Amino acid sequence: MSDDVVWHCIRHNHCSFMAKITTGRIFCRNPYNTTGICNRSSCPLANSRYATIRDHGGIFYLYMKTPERAHLPTKLWERVKLPRNYEKAIEVISKHLEFWPMLLVHKIKQRLTKMTQYRIRMRKLQLKGQLLRR
């Protein structure tokens, strides 16, 4: 119930993470947002049960937020280190988010895939740059 109230306030009054562009699309700059789009299902502020993946220095972490930890803002997000192997990381996500909504789990797996592909492209570009310098 309080999630709906929070979403109504964020959407219709003011959200400092909201970014509108000239085409009318509304994006979210919150680092915990899984899709980057400002909508009810992707908003980490308006969902008491939420999860996402973040990159810290080349290491991926699964961040999970549950209503039980809402009274401790410093411990609001539980952090789980993901293995570098893509298949094992998918298994860890499936294990930790076993009883979560399937739509959210699917979004998180998509984000992991996108970030893994980004990491692979970065390595290729770095190798290509090293070969050109020689």
Side-chain angles (χ1 to χ4, degrees), residues 85-99:
N85 186 342
Y86 176 75
E87 289 82 17
K88 289 181 183 177
I90 291 288
E91 289 175 13
V92 169
I93 291 171
S94 297
K95 186 183 93 177
H96 279 86
L97 304 178
E98 185 176 358
F99 301 108

Side-chain angles (χ1 to χ4, degrees), residues 25-131:
R25 301 273 310 196
I26 302 173
F27 293 100
C28 181
R29 292 183 297 225
N30 191 319
Y32 291 99
N33 192 315
T34 55
T35 60
I37 298 171
C38 184
N39 60 21
R40 172 69 174 88
S41 63
S42 296
C43 184
L45 303 174
N47 289 300
S48 58
R49 190 174 194 194
Y50 195 76
T52 190
I53 293 180
R54 296 197 57 199
D55 181 13
H56 291 286
I59 300 170
F60 294 150
Y61 290 94
L62 172 66
Y63 281 82
M64 297 172 290
K65 174 176 127 175
T66 58
E68 291 83 22
R69 286 193 290 273
H71 69 285
L72 297 171
T74 58
K75 297 180 181 176
L76 183 64
W77 293 92
E78 179 184 352
R79 187 169 92 163
V80 176
K81 185 177 177 181
L82 295 175
R84 291 190 70 85
N85 186 342
Y86 176 75
E87 289 82 17
K88 289 181 183 177
I90 291 288
E91 289 175 13
V92 169
I93 291 171
S94 297
K95 186 183 93 177
H96 279 86
L97 304 178
E98 185 176 358
F99 301 108
W100 289 55
M102 291 308 296
L103 180 65
L104 183 62
V105 175
H106 179 67
K107 283 182 187 177
I108 292 167
K109 288 180 181 178
Q110 280 183 327
R111 184 170 169 91
L112 176 69
T113 303
K114 186 169 75 171
M115 292 174 77
T116 303
Q117 291 171 349
Y118 172 77
R119 181 192 285 170
I120 291 168
R121 275 196 314 272
M122 289 297 291
R123 277 196 217 125
K124 284 182 182 178
L125 289 173
Q126 286 176 347
L127 288 173
K128 189 175 182 180
Q130 289 174 356
L131 291 174

